[in-house]
Amino acid sequence: VQLQASGGGLVQPGGSLRLSCAASGTIFSINVMAWHRQAPGKQRELVATITYGGSTHYADSVKGRFTISRDNAKNTVYLQMNSLKPEDTAVYYCYAQIRSSPNPRWSDYWGQGTQVTVSS
């Protein structure tokens, strides 16, 4: 199983970006999907999560600006980021909890990270 993230880049303050992360490989089902981020010199932090049924949770720092969504048919999670601030600059990592068979054991998978830089 692999997670492939895309969509990062350089954007001015107040701008928008949309991140995508597609899971591929032998996938039976996907439970929680999420985005985390890690800024230079800081610990990785949770940005947003979404369950299979669409329930979402956001870090206080991004509420009202970021929207997480998913397409279960495509095994893909998205992060729409609006009103971006310089403090949103970080490497963004996608995460998914996946089963590769009907066996009830879930495994954690991470994408490779995509750089988001907010600067004028």
Side-chain angles (χ1 to χ4, degrees):
V1 174
Q2 286 187 322
L3 297 184
Q4 182 67 44
S6 62
L10 173 64
V11 63
Q12 292 186 343
S16 298
L17 280 176
R18 188 189 193 212
L19 306 183
S20 300
C21 177
S24 61
T26 304
I27 297 171
F28 180 75
S29 62
I30 302 178
N31 190 14
V32 174
M33 303 186 84
W35 289 94
H36 292 68
R37 67 186 181 186
Q38 187 166 19
K42 295 187 176 181
Q43 290 188 331
R44 189 175 297 190
E45 64 174 357
L46 176 67
V47 176
T49 65
I50 185 167
T51 66
Y52 181 86
S55 295
T56 58
H57 169 80
Y58 296 93
D60 288 343
S61 59
V62 306
K63 280 181 182 177
R65 301 188 298 121
F66 290 11
T67 302
I68 189 170
S69 61
R70 64 191 282 175
D71 185 331
N72 291 329
K74 295 182 179 179
N75 293 330
T76 300
V77 62
Y78 306 96
L79 186 68
Q80 177 67 42
M81 303 184 293
N82 299 328
S83 303
L84 282 160
K85 305 175 181 179
E87 50 264 43
D88 294 318
T89 296
V91 177
Y92 283 71
Y93 298 91
C94 56
Y95 161 89
Q97 193 178 51
I98 296 173
R99 284 194 299 179
S100 296
S101 72
N103 186 305
R105 179 174 175 270
W106 296 93
S107 297
D108 298 328
Y109 294 90
W110 292 88
Q112 82 284 8
T114 184
Q115 177 70 46
V116 172
T117 302
V118 184
S119 175
S120 55

